[in-house]
Structures are given as C-alpha cells and as structure tokens.
Amino acid sequence: MSRRTLPAPGTTGSTAMLFGAELRHAREAAGFSQSDLARLVHCDRSLIARIESGQRVPRRGCVDQCDEVLGTQGLLARIWSRVDWSAEVEHPDWFRRFVELEADAVELRKFQLQVVPGLLQTERYARALFTRGADTRDDRSVEERVAARLSRQHRFLDPRGPLLVVILDEGVIHRVVGSASVMAEQLAHLLAVAEQPNIALQVAPFGHHEVIGPDTSMTLVRLPDRSEWAYSECLDRGHFSNHPDALALHARTYDLVRANALSVRQSNALITSVMEGFDRNGRPEPQHDSLAKEQSQRRQRRRLHRGGPRIPRPRTGT
C-alpha cells in the first residue's frame, strides 16, 4: 500500500501554500486588497496574509465566506475539501500508517470508548479536543490539526462513500467536550450523518462492559483487495494486526458489542434526548442533576434493552 500524494504543486512548497496561492489569485482578480477582504469576512488582515503565505490553515467557515465575497462560486471550498491537510501535520509514524489505511478503506467498523471518532467530529468539537493543554498563544498547530481531521472526513460523509459503522459507548455522548453548546452541536451532527446510507451509528448503553466489550477503542479496516486490519490505540502508540487469529478475535468482540448495543432507532432517540438536555445557552447542567439524569437513563436503557439479544455469561466451575 502506498501513501496518497497530491499532484505536483509547481512552485508551491506545501498544500497550505497551494491553497493560499489560489486565495490570493481570487482576491486580486476581484480587485481587493488583503485589508479589503479581511474587513468583508470580519477578520484581521494578518490572518488573510498568513493564509495566503501558507502559514495558517484556514477554517472552513472562513473559506465559505471568502467564496461568497469573491464570487468564486464555491471554488475555494472545493479546493479546501480536496487538499490533504493531514500532510501539514507531523503525525507519529504509527498514526500516519493508520491514516493511510483509512484513506484506502472501503469499510470501517469502529468502537469508540472515550470521544466521538474523528471522522464524525464537528470543527468546534475537534478544536476543543486539540486545545486541551495547548499553548493558545500560537494556535497554528491547533488549526492545522483541526483542518487535517476535517479533511479526512470527506470520503465518509459522501453518501456514496465507504461503509462506516460506529458504536459509541454511552459515556461519549454524555461527556462534555468544550462546552454544552459544543456538545449540542456535535450530537445534532451525529443525528444528521446517521441518516446517510453508508453510515450506521449505534450506542452501547451503560453497563455493556458487564456483558462483554473491549477496554479500549478499536477499528476494523477492510481494504479494496479485501484484506483486513485491526487497529487500536494506547497512550503513545497504535497497535496493528492482520493475523487471521487476531482478526477473528477482534471481529467476534465487535459483533458481540454491536449485538448488545441499542438499535439504530433507540440510539437516535437517546442521542436526541441527551442533546436536548444540554442548555441552549451553553451552561452545563448542575452536577447533581446530571448524575440523577445519568442514573435514570441507565435504568431506562436497561429496560429498553431487555427485549434485545442477550449474551450468556460464561459459567464458572463444572
């Protein structure tokens, strides 16, 4: 398997510079200075200068505004969506290997234990994750990582794209990342993408580990040649395997987790309920109210799930 590369960019030295050159060309063709464009899209002139010089990865919202102001009819957004922004980010070798697998995959089956998977994250949710512990005085690295993450999504957010099956541990949709308003937007996004024909989204309810379940997030990857890989992460490295025995074990574990998950309809109802529970003004609920609601939801999930498939526990002794 070889890494995908962009066409030769001519005199540009990176994909960020390639986009910047196109923005500068469109701006000059419209007869605007950098200050003119900055005023029209409500940002600082230095931001436009940094984007055009390839020193700053632009946000998608800014790109859409530039398209509107410059009358480029979505050209800049189309270029932005085709740029491999992940090439601008220095990923560890093990994660770069996973990105390459993901880029070629025809099917992904994911179980996510802590956060929404990158392929389904909103821009604000991804930024909140990347700014944890980051030096906000220089946000270039954060913006590059956000753009890189969003650029990986395009294949899968196309209804004709690869099959993407995602199981979220219920804690993922309750755990606040960024703020309550960020979470409400993220959960609304999950409901929207779950309507696509190539995406299936389910929630594994609280307590599913009491039956069966991995203690870490995992991904099963199928490539065009029908070969398969299993991938999981720990704190500082990724683990890959294509050994038949390991693949069979991981596939069995995944199938059991999915069998024990809520149905798609039940999952949508739960996500909707949690989304509506976040305060519209962005204030998180009081902790005692949140805990009471979580306990109530656990009881409700168990009642809902009693009619679903049950997996017998292994008996001890003889």
Side-chain angles (χ1 to χ4, degrees):
M1 179 184 63
S2 60
R3 178 172 171 77
R4 297 186 308 160
T5 57
L6 291 170
T11 59
T12 60
S14 71
T15 53
M17 291 179 66
L18 178 128
F19 179 88
E22 292 299 324
L23 174 61
R24 182 173 62 252
H25 174 77
R27 174 180 59 77
E28 292 175 347
F32 293 143
S33 67
Q34 290 179 342
S35 296
D36 294 333
L37 180 58
R39 185 175 63 256
L40 291 169
V41 300
H42 311 293
C43 70
D44 191 81
R45 186 204 65 81
S46 63
L47 175 61
I48 300 298
R50 292 173 67 191
I51 292 174
E52 290 187 352
S53 64
Q55 297 176 8
R56 175 72 177 267
V57 175
R59 300 181 185 179
R60 176 57 187 265
C62 178
V63 174
D64 290 337
Q65 286 182 303
C66 289
D67 261 329
E68 182 177 354
V69 167
L70 299 176
T72 44
Q73 300 180 328
L75 173 64
L76 294 174
R78 290 193 295 275
I79 295 174
W80 186 95
S81 68
R82 286 167 172 76
V83 167
D84 182 11
W85 294 110
S86 62
E88 302 300 308
V89 178
E90 289 296 326
H91 291 301
D93 289 342
W94 53 266
F95 188 73
R96 185 178 300 112
R97 183 184 178 193
F98 173 71
V99 171
E100 293 173 0
L101 285 172
E102 182 185 81
D104 290 334
V106 296
E107 177 183 323
L108 291 183
R109 288 180 289 163
K110 302 179 74 70
F111 169 68
Q112 205 74 16
L113 191 59
Q114 297 295 331
V115 297
V116 173
L119 295 179
L120 299 181
Q121 290 176 8
T122 64
E123 181 176 333
R124 294 175 67 205
Y125 186 97
R127 183 172 293 106
L129 286 175
F130 286 129
T131 52
R132 288 177 173 178
D135 184 354
T136 55
R137 292 171 298 179
D138 181 7
D139 62 352
R140 177 184 177 187
S141 176
V142 170
E143 295 305 319
E144 287 178 347
R145 291 181 180 278
V146 170
R149 177 154 295 180
L150 297 180
S151 73
R152 290 166 46 206
Q153 299 178 354
H154 301 303
R155 294 183 66 231
F156 296 90
L157 297 185
D158 184 336
R160 301 163 298 179
L163 176 65
L164 176 60
V165 181
V166 177
I167 303 172
L168 300 177
D169 180 87
E170 186 173 348
V172 171
I173 63 175
H174 291 281
R175 188 172 297 112
V176 177
V177 172
S179 68
S181 64
V182 169
M183 288 303 302
E185 179 185 67
Q186 175 63 72
L187 296 182
H189 180 65
L190 291 179
L191 292 172
V193 298
E195 296 180 358
Q196 293 189 185
N198 64 312
I199 296 179
L201 178 64
Q202 293 174 255
V203 176
F206 287 126
H208 73 97
H209 282 291
E210 298 173 5
V211 181
I212 190 167
D215 57 4
T216 185
S217 300
M218 61 179 291
T219 302
L220 300 175
V221 183
R222 178 170 295 176
L223 299 175
D225 62 2
R226 312 308 293 173
S227 63
E228 296 184 346
W229 288 84
Y231 171 77
S232 62
E233 290 181 15
C234 62
L235 287 176
D236 60 354
R237 63 168 298 179
H239 302 271
F240 298 86
S241 179
N242 65 348
H243 190 282
D245 291 343
L247 289 172
L249 177 62
H250 289 310
R252 178 180 181 274
T253 299
Y254 188 89
D255 288 344
L256 290 175
V257 171
R258 191 176 185 189
N260 195 50
L262 300 177
S263 69
V264 170
R265 177 177 295 181
Q266 291 171 334
S267 298
N268 287 345
L270 176 58
I271 293 172
T272 300
S273 175
V274 175
M275 178 185 67
E276 292 173 349
F278 286 109
D279 188 272
R280 294 299 182 181
N281 293 324
R283 294 190 300 271
E285 298 171 332
Q287 186 174 0
H288 65 277
D289 290 345
S290 179
L291 178 59
K293 177 176 287 188
E294 178 177 313
Q295 291 171 339
S296 173
Q297 287 169 338
R298 288 189 182 189
R299 291 192 295 269
Q300 183 181 4
R301 299 286 71 75
R302 291 190 182 107
R303 288 195 299 269
L304 282 172
H305 200 63
R306 282 172 183 166
R310 300 181 62 86
I311 302 170
R313 298 172 182 266
R315 297 187 178 184
T316 58
T318 56

